Amino acid sequence: PDYEIVESPAGLWRRFRYAVHFDHRARYEFAASQTVIDGEVILDAASGSGWGTNYLARRNSARLVIGVDWDAGAITEARRHTPDKARVTFRQGSLLFEQDLAGIRADMIVSFETIEHVSERHSPKLLRNFRKVSTEEATLVISTPNRDLYSPYTHREGRPWNIFHKREYDPDKFVDLLETNYWRVKDLFG
């Protein structure tokens, strides 16, 4: 035919959300595949509605998985849909306030697609707070969009494309941010 089939914006949005779901799930599958010893504690930092927190609890032998998120509604939803309340708990609070993380000692910290929502000034505080609540040998499994792929013209436009992102990082800047804030980078994936 001599016409072009153009997908509606609603159809594109559905496909995008479908792809994002699998992308996010892959991150939690990766985190769950990391070695967790019986009795350890996992912190899911910026846990949202808690499905990833519950996934981590189902997929390993951690003694406790703690989800922390600033959104009280998300925490209420997470608590409502948590089957294993003995091993999974949720706390409403900011990752930037030490008092909201008080009493947590984590052997693994999982933080997916969070740090780009924090200002450049506060990003070091976030990473230092993760270090303060971690055990000596803790692992940080963290992800953020690769600025060069996600917002390739940031340098020209002066800001990330996603209006909710304060700062996006290229791999070198992200590694530098982690290492200058007391985290040794073992592996970098993309």
Side-chain angles (χ1 to χ4, degrees):
D2 59 351
Y3 59 87
E4 182 179 343
I5 298 175
V6 178
E7 191 164 0
S8 73
L12 288 173
W13 180 245
R14 268 194 305 280
R15 284 196 310 143
F16 173 76
R17 288 187 51 125
Y18 184 74
V20 167
H21 167 75
F22 284 103
D23 191 40
H24 205 58
R25 182 180 171 119
R27 290 183 184 98
Y28 276 101
E29 287 173 351
F30 174 78
S33 75
Q34 302 305 297
T35 303
V36 175
I37 300 167
D38 289 351
E40 290 190 333
V41 174
I42 299 172
L43 169 62
D44 186 7
S47 59
S49 64
W51 75 264
T53 312
N54 283 295
Y55 183 86
L56 289 170
R58 282 192 314 271
R59 297 292 180 188
N60 64 58
S61 59
R63 174 177 56 84
L64 181 63
V65 183
I66 305 167
V68 175
D69 200 280
W70 69 271
D71 186 321
I75 293 299
T76 298
E77 189 73 12
R79 288 177 178 148
R80 185 176 322 150
H81 296 288
T82 296
D84 188 354
K85 292 186 183 351
R87 290 185 55 230
V88 179
T89 187
F90 291 94
R91 185 186 291 190
Q92 193 271 326
S94 171
L95 299 170
L96 295 174
F97 299 138
E98 288 180 51
Q99 67 269 21
D100 290 351
L101 301 172
I104 297 174
R105 283 305 275 169
D107 301 286
M108 177 187 283
I109 299 170
V110 175
S111 182
F112 296 137
E113 308 301 291
T114 304
I115 200 163
E116 65 275 7
H117 296 274
V118 177
S119 71
E120 184 174 6
R121 187 180 75 149
H122 289 109
S123 296
K125 182 168 181 54
L126 176 75
L127 293 171
R128 286 193 302 268
N129 281 351
F130 288 167
R131 178 49 75 195
K132 286 176 183 175
V133 301
S134 65
T135 61
E136 182 90 15
E137 298 297 318
T139 300
L140 172 64
V141 182
I142 187 169
S143 71
T144 189
N146 180 338
R147 184 195 69 195
D148 296 338
L149 300 174
Y150 193 79
S151 297
Y153 300 104
T154 302
H155 63 282
R156 187 172 69 201
E157 296 176 4
R159 60 177 177 68
W161 287 0
N162 185 321
I163 63 170
F164 299 106
H165 291 182
K166 307 281 188 209
R167 167 99 195 257
E168 292 173 355
Y169 301 90
D170 64 34
D172 291 338
K173 292 262 195 272
F174 190 52
V175 167
D176 184 56
L177 176 68
L178 290 164
E179 290 183 341
T180 57
N181 289 285
Y182 314 109
W183 291 100
R184 183 178 63 82
V185 176
K186 179 180 170 192
D187 293 308
L188 188 67
F189 301 95

